[in-house]
Amino acid sequence: MNKQKESRPDRGIPLISSILLVFFILGTIVFTLSQRISAEMSSSAINNLSESLELVKGTLEAILVKEAEFQKLIAKEVATLEDPDEFIRSYNRDRTMVSISFIAAGQEAGISNTSESFTEEGLDFSAGKTVEGLPISQSYLNSMGTWAYTMKCSVERDGRETGSLYIEYIYDSFEEVLPRGFYGGNALLYIMDARSQRFVLKPRGMGERKAGHLNLEDFYRANNILEPDVKNAVAHSVDTGNNFMFYHHIQNKESLIFMWAVNDGGVYLIGYVPIEAIQQEGKAVNQNIYTVVLVMLAAFFLCCMLFYLNQRQQIRLRREREAEREIHNRQLAEALQAAQIASKSKTMFLSNMSHDIRTPMNAILGFTTLLAKDADNPAKVREYTAKITASGRHLLSLINDVLDVSKIESGKVVLTIGEFTLSDLVSSVDAIIRPMAKARRQDFDVSVTEIKHEYLIGDETRINQILINLLSNAVKYTPEGGSIWFRIIGLPQRSAQFEHIRIQVEDNGYGMTPEYLKTVFDPFTRAENSTTNKVQGTGLGMAITKNIVELMGGTIQVSSEIDRGSIFTVELELRIPDGQADEQFWKDNNIRRILAVDDDEEVCKSVQALMGDTKTTVDTAPRGEDAVAMAQKAHEEKQDYDMVLLDWKMPGMDGYETAVRIRSAIPDIPILFLTAYDGLELQEEIAHMGNAGVLAKPFFVSAFKEKIIELQEDHLRDRLSDAGEDDSLEGMRFLVAEDNEINAEILSELLDIEGARCEIVENGQIAVERFVRSAAGEYDAVLMDVQMPVMNGYEAARRIRQLDRPDAAKIPIIAMTANAFAEDVKEALEAGMNAHIAKPIEMGLLKKAMDQYRKREEDV
């Protein structure tokens, strides 16, 4: 027992030693573990910082992705709208999106929901950064003084880009997703634009200084970061879009400075965290292992939750990207199919082109044959020449179709604005289309109603191109024996300076399917069925037509039914030229009262409307019987009509019978037959009537003037023939200004035959100089060509009239020119000339003009 008692203290010491050893070992383990945990916590804190930055980065990129998806949805909605500008203007801003803007394809400027004009100028997309495929601009200060960026999205409709949608977002909206109290409020976090290295969003609680006044260099200076190696490493990371961390003393504290790339380095999260803030959790573990364990467990659980949430978000984003990729692939497949169809259409282009070229070429060759046959008939020569010119111009327009398409697609089409008359426009179109319709035994009806102004300002060539495209298609796609209607209708004016017109081209032809109506204005497309496949064409006409109409600020619409026909409707507003009505012409030609006879009330109204500014009285009659009664009554009251406009086809008493009865009461009254039929055939029927002519419908003042001049010349020629041409030019001496040697030689020979002499000079300036050197009475008259080099005939006539010598104001000056329109006569009289004789010169007219001058001199 003593041995046992002695042994107990001996066993106690080892036990205590064992316990101490255990505690020592445990203490060593705890100390080692604490040190190890502290080191691991420091490393974990750095990892947590990285994960936190990754979460912030992911959140910011998710916001950018949402913004890009939202912008794509808006772009799709804009693509479906007929008037995207109205949608843009009415769109309201919110806390994230400051402004939304739209620029149409081919335009340099567009509109914005801020009611201001918008251009891409000032936006820099050169960095090449994108979000979901959308270009994102470099950061900039917007009009409110806030840092912002803009995303650009293409707007496509039917596979064709129609414009670009721009949405401006502000960085201030990111402030709500940035962590509050980052590392206990000890850490600072900025957002920096990578390219400009400007800080576009500051940390909370930074005082009055704005982040917009800071950049990376300011950050270096403020935190005493001066090492070139560090700056170079930072610059390299920013250039390559990589993340970067480094240690540095900031305010006497060892800190960890971080730069975290967002959106492939477009912007950066930049800031710093003091090391002691990172190690606070490790110190807490040393003080209380259980707390550390719990914190670690909580941190682990939190990390697991964050990882789980992050994984879910990544899976969702991956699925969204896959869905978008499928949509993109489908769009690419559709684009490939459209490209293949376009390629096939363009391959057919050359084979289809021949038909459109033959149409005006046949007209040119046909009228050339007729011109050779009727070379001795000046009226027909002028008519055939006008039609050949119109067909030639149309042929040229066809050749230019391909170039037009190229110009339209590149936005280089420019309108040539000038003054023109609806009369010339309708006549040129009629000269081309009517023979085409006649060859197919089609009825071609032309009507112009409610038009208040015949003279307009616009691009006559392009308008002619629109009409030819629409009407030639109507002829081609209407069966033989069908009908085509061409209408020009005056609409209520929106402005006193513009004539609002509607152009309708209607046919009762094959019609179009609803499917084809959707693509009728696309290039290289034609209706395809067993009937229309026989019709050849370029497939460019409708595309060019629509683009030209829209370039003029107009609209074009089409409606159609299979086997019932189609109707194209174009609306344009054309400027009305300044000026007053030409009242002097009607006074000079003694036309004060006109009788218009037509069973179509709209035709009578049109004549009255267009003649309203000429101070000429226009009476109307719906029937031939009424016209005869009105003409007889006016004759009895000694208020005869000076001109009768008479419809050729009327119910009851037709135009011919009406003319015969009117002539029985008033034998020599001028009569013009209004007709929508072939004027040449009618001209042959009335050739024996005398002092009568044919005026094609629709009625236009300018065409009416030309017919009056033509009628008077023919009547004068007939009177000279009946009088036996007693007038003589023998012994007279003429000063002739003519630059064409052949014309001058012909005129010299003709005057020589008449016993007259002439002195020929080659331009107006020499004519004035020769007249100045001449003695008084040396010349009996001056024959003045109008179109000459150096000085034209009008200016030469004015110079002669201004000379300070008595005979300068009295000597007859007679214009001789190929320009035989009413406007040319007016311009000659205004220049001081006494008469106007159209080429080729007829000696009878020259004799009559000189005889009238001699009679006036005798009366004086």
Side-chain angles (χ1 to χ4, degrees):
M1 289 181 64
N2 291 335
K3 289 182 180 178
Q4 289 178 353
K5 291 180 180 178
E6 292 176 357
S7 63
R8 285 177 182 174
D10 295 337
R11 290 199 301 266
I13 293 174
L15 181 59
I16 294 173
S17 299
S18 298
I19 293 173
L20 291 175
L21 180 60
V22 170
F23 277 106
F24 176 78
I25 294 173
L26 289 175
T28 302
I29 293 174
V30 170
F31 177 77
T32 304
L33 183 61
S34 65
Q35 294 297 318
R36 187 174 171 183
I37 289 175
S38 179
E40 290 179 355
M41 284 299 296
S42 296
S43 177
S44 177
I46 294 174
N47 292 334
N48 287 340
L49 173 62
S50 300
E51 291 180 1
S52 298
L53 293 174
E54 282 294 323
L55 288 174
V56 174
K57 166 189 172 181
T59 303
L60 296 181
E61 291 181 341
I63 291 174
L64 293 174
V65 170
K66 288 295 183 182
E67 291 174 345
E69 293 172 350
F70 172 75
Q71 189 161 342
K72 289 180 179 179
L73 292 176
I74 295 295
K76 290 180 180 179
E77 183 175 358
V78 170
T80 63
L81 299 177
E82 292 296 329
D83 188 6
D85 292 356
E86 182 62 25
F87 175 83
I88 296 300
R89 293 190 188 97
S90 61
Y91 205 95
N92 296 324
R93 55 179 289 185
D94 57 28
R95 293 181 301 171
T96 303
M97 184 183 69
V98 176
S99 66
I100 180 170
S101 307
F102 178 78
I103 299 180
Q107 300 293 325
E108 295 182 356
I111 55 95
S112 174
N113 65 338
T114 60
S115 301
E116 298 177 351
S117 176
F118 175 81
T119 65
E120 194 175 303
E121 182 178 0
L123 297 178
D124 186 1
F125 294 95
S126 61
K129 301 299 181 182
T130 62
V131 179
E132 294 297 304
L134 300 188
I136 182 171
S137 72
Q138 181 181 337
S139 305
Y140 58 90
L141 279 171
N142 62 15
S143 59
M144 299 183 299
T146 302
W147 281 99
Y149 59 93
T150 294
M151 288 191 195
K152 176 180 178 181
C153 181
S154 175
V155 179
E156 296 184 355
R157 184 175 186 177
D158 298 333
R160 180 173 58 88
E161 183 176 352
T162 62
S164 298
L165 182 69
Y166 301 79
I167 298 184
E168 181 182 272
Y169 305 91
I170 58 175
Y171 282 99
D172 289 350
S173 61
F174 290 164
E175 189 172 6
E176 296 180 2
V177 301
L178 295 180
R180 298 178 181 272
F182 201 35
Y183 278 91
N186 295 313
L188 292 181
L189 180 63
Y190 297 85
I191 294 181
M192 181 187 75
D193 179 74
R195 190 165 186 183
S196 64
Q197 298 185 352
R198 304 277 295 187
F199 288 3
V200 297
L201 188 63
K202 68 173 184 176
R204 291 185 178 88
M206 284 296 292
E208 294 297 325
R209 192 177 187 190
K210 295 183 179 179
H213 296 160
L214 295 177
N215 54 32
L216 188 58
E217 286 297 325
D218 292 333
F219 184 78
Y220 286 156
R221 287 193 296 270
N223 298 296
N224 201 28
I225 302 174
L226 306 176
E227 296 82 359
D229 294 339
V230 173
K231 290 184 178 181
N232 291 335
V234 170
H236 178 72
S237 299
V238 172
D239 290 340
T240 57
N242 295 324
N243 302 329
F244 188 67
M245 286 187 180
F246 63 96
Y247 290 98
H248 200 275
H249 276 86
I250 298 178
Q251 297 179 359
N252 297 322
K253 294 181 180 179
E254 184 73 5
S255 301
L256 181 61
I257 300 174
F258 57 86
M259 298 187 67
W260 220 254
V262 178
N263 192 33
D264 295 328
V267 295
Y268 269 79
L269 298 171
I270 182 171
Y272 64 88
V273 182
I275 298 299
E276 63 181 18
I278 298 177
Q279 295 179 343
Q280 283 180 354
E281 293 180 356
K283 294 179 181 179
V285 171
N286 291 331
Q287 296 172 359
N288 192 330
I289 188 67
Y290 298 106
T291 305
V292 170
V293 171
L294 291 176
V295 170
M296 290 180 63
L297 290 175
F300 178 74
F301 178 75
L302 178 61
C303 290
C304 289
M305 287 297 297
L306 292 175
F307 179 77
Y308 172 74
L309 294 175
N310 184 61
Q311 286 296 343
R312 286 190 59 183
Q313 184 178 15
Q314 292 298 326
I315 292 172
R316 179 175 57 82
L317 293 175
R318 185 167 57 253
R319 288 176 179 173
E320 290 177 354
R321 284 194 294 269
E322 290 175 354
E324 291 175 358
R325 191 178 297 110
E326 290 178 0
I327 294 173
H328 182 64
N329 291 337
R330 185 166 60 252
Q331 291 174 342
L332 289 176
E334 293 173 354
L336 176 60
Q337 183 179 6
Q340 291 172 343
I341 293 174
S343 177
K344 181 180 178 181
S345 299
K346 292 180 180 180
T347 302
M348 299 172 59
F349 169 68
L350 290 177
S351 61
N352 292 337
M353 195 70 177
S354 60
H355 175 80
D356 282 1
I357 291 178
R358 286 195 190 99
T359 300
M361 182 60 72
N362 288 338
I364 293 172
L365 295 176
F367 283 121
T368 303
T369 303
L370 294 176
L371 185 63
K373 177 182 177 183
D374 298 319
D376 296 331
N377 189 332
K380 291 186 177 181
V381 167
R382 285 194 293 269
E383 182 176 355
Y384 294 154
T385 303
K387 292 180 179 180
I388 290 172
T389 300
S391 298
R393 289 174 179 170
H394 177 50
L395 178 60
L396 180 61
S397 70
L398 286 175
I399 296 172
N400 288 332
D401 269 357
V402 177
L403 296 178
D404 281 347
V405 169
S406 176
K407 290 180 181 178
I408 288 169
E409 290 178 349
S410 61
K412 295 181 179 179
V413 173
V414 178
L415 297 178
T416 303
I417 304 301
E419 185 173 331
F420 68 95
T421 67
L422 284 178
S423 171
D424 293 341
L425 182 68
V426 174
S427 297
S428 64
V429 172
D430 186 86
I432 294 173
I433 300 301
R434 190 169 296 279
M436 295 169 56
K438 187 176 181 180
R440 293 173 61 85
R441 298 192 299 277
Q442 297 168 339
D443 292 331
F444 181 49
D445 181 74
V446 181
S447 65
V448 178
T449 57
E450 304 296 329
I451 295 294
K452 299 179 180 62
H453 301 87
E454 178 185 350
Y455 291 87
L456 301 170
I457 294 177
D459 191 332
E460 181 181 9
T461 302
R462 292 297 183 182
I463 297 175
N464 184 282
Q465 186 177 5
I466 293 171
L467 299 179
I468 294 296
N469 284 344
L470 296 177
L471 288 167
S472 61
N473 276 355
V475 172
K476 289 188 291 186
Y477 291 100
T478 299
E480 292 191 3
S483 298
I484 299 167
W485 295 270
F486 171 34
R487 309 182 189 98
I488 298 180
I489 305 168
L491 300 178
Q493 293 177 253
R494 297 190 181 104
S495 169
Q497 288 78 35
F498 289 87
E499 181 81 16
H500 188 189
I501 66 173
R502 174 179 292 160
I503 299 170
Q504 288 184 338
V505 174
E506 183 179 1
D507 63 70
N508 59 356
Y510 306 125
M512 293 175 279
T513 64
E515 293 76 17
Y516 180 67
L517 281 175
K518 298 177 182 179
T519 62
V520 65
F521 294 114
D522 294 343
F524 302 103
T525 58
R526 294 193 301 117
E528 298 291 340
N529 58 52
S530 58
T531 303
T532 61
N533 281 347
K534 301 176 183 179
V535 180
Q536 295 181 346
T538 64
L540 298 174
M542 289 299 97
I544 293 174
T545 298
K546 181 175 187 296
N547 281 278
I548 293 174
V549 169
E550 293 178 348
L551 187 63
M552 292 180 175
T555 61
I556 182 170
Q557 296 177 338
V558 57
S559 60
S560 182
E561 294 184 31
I562 292 294
D563 297 329
R564 298 190 65 179
S566 306
I567 179 169
F568 285 84
T569 302
V570 175
E571 289 195 11
L572 296 172
E573 286 191 289
L574 300 173
R575 180 174 287 279
I576 302 168
D578 298 330
Q580 299 179 348
D582 181 15
E583 301 177 17
Q584 190 63 38
F585 174 85
W586 309 100
K587 292 180 182 179
D588 292 342
N589 289 276
N590 296 318
I591 297 178
R592 299 174 300 276
R593 301 188 66 203
I594 298 174
L595 176 60
V597 188
D598 199 301
D599 60 302
D600 188 343
E601 184 180 357
E602 292 297 328
V603 173
C604 293
K605 288 183 178 179
S606 178
V607 174
Q608 288 180 319
L610 290 173
M611 294 293 294
D613 294 336
T614 64
K615 306 302 181 184
T616 302
T617 302
V618 179
D619 294 332
T620 62
R623 300 183 307 160
E625 294 85 351
D626 297 334
V628 172
M630 293 173 66
Q632 290 175 344
K633 182 179 178 182
H635 182 64
E636 292 170 359
E637 296 175 352
K638 295 184 179 181
Q639 295 181 352
D640 288 330
Y641 292 105
D642 303 303
M643 177 68 67
V644 177
L645 300 176
L646 189 58
D647 186 23
W648 180 250
K649 296 290 186 180
M650 291 187 296
M653 185 184 296
D654 62 13
Y656 183 82
E657 185 178 354
T658 303
V660 171
R661 293 198 181 184
I662 290 176
R663 280 285 176 85
S664 65
I666 314 170
D668 202 33
I669 186 172
I671 296 177
L672 285 176
F673 290 95
L674 296 172
T675 180
Y677 302 95
D678 191 340
L680 294 177
E681 296 178 2
L682 181 57
Q683 191 74 44
E684 294 175 357
E685 292 188 37
I686 65 170
H688 66 282
M689 293 189 68
N691 205 16
V694 177
L695 181 61
K697 288 184 179 180
F699 175 83
F700 288 108
V701 176
S702 58
F704 186 27
K705 288 181 179 180
E706 293 173 18
K707 280 297 178 181
I708 290 173
I709 294 173
E710 181 181 330
L711 202 62
Q712 290 179 347
E713 289 180 353
D714 292 341
H715 187 54
L716 177 59
R717 191 179 299 107
D718 294 340
R719 288 176 59 189
L720 289 173
S721 176
D722 296 338
E725 299 187 4
D726 295 332
D727 301 321
S728 174
L729 302 178
E730 187 172 357
M732 290 188 178
R733 181 174 173 82
F734 293 90
L735 175 60
V736 179
E738 173 62 72
D739 64 313
N740 187 287
E741 294 182 3
I742 296 177
N743 291 341
E745 183 178 354
I746 293 172
L747 181 58
S748 177
E749 292 296 329
L750 290 174
L751 290 174
D752 186 61
I753 293 172
E754 298 294 334
R757 294 176 298 161
C758 67
E759 180 178 348
I760 299 175
V761 295
E762 60 190 25
N763 59 60
Q765 182 174 335
I766 300 176
V768 175
E769 295 172 353
R770 184 65 189 87
F771 183 80
V772 170
R773 295 195 304 268
S774 69
E778 181 177 343
Y779 299 112
D780 295 291
V782 178
L783 302 182
M784 188 76 73
D785 186 23
V786 172
Q787 301 294 336
M788 293 183 293
V790 183
M791 182 183 294
N792 63 41
Y794 298 137
E795 182 60 27
R798 293 189 186 94
R799 296 283 182 89
I800 291 175
R801 294 303 189 204
Q802 294 170 0
L803 293 175
D804 187 16
R805 49 187 286 179
D807 59 340
K810 297 180 179 181
I811 187 170
I813 302 178
I814 300 174
M816 53 178 191
T817 175
N819 300 331
F821 297 114
E823 290 76 12
D824 303 307
V825 177
K826 177 184 176 182
E827 190 170 0
L829 296 176
E830 290 177 348
M833 297 184 183
N834 299 89
H836 179 283
I837 299 177
K839 291 181 179 179
I841 300 297
E842 295 188 23
M843 287 295 104
L845 294 178
L846 179 58
K847 292 177 183 179
K848 185 63 179 177
M850 293 303 300
D851 182 59
Q852 290 176 349
Y853 172 75
R854 283 196 297 265
K855 289 180 179 179
R856 283 198 299 267
E857 288 295 309
E858 292 172 0
D859 294 338
V860 175

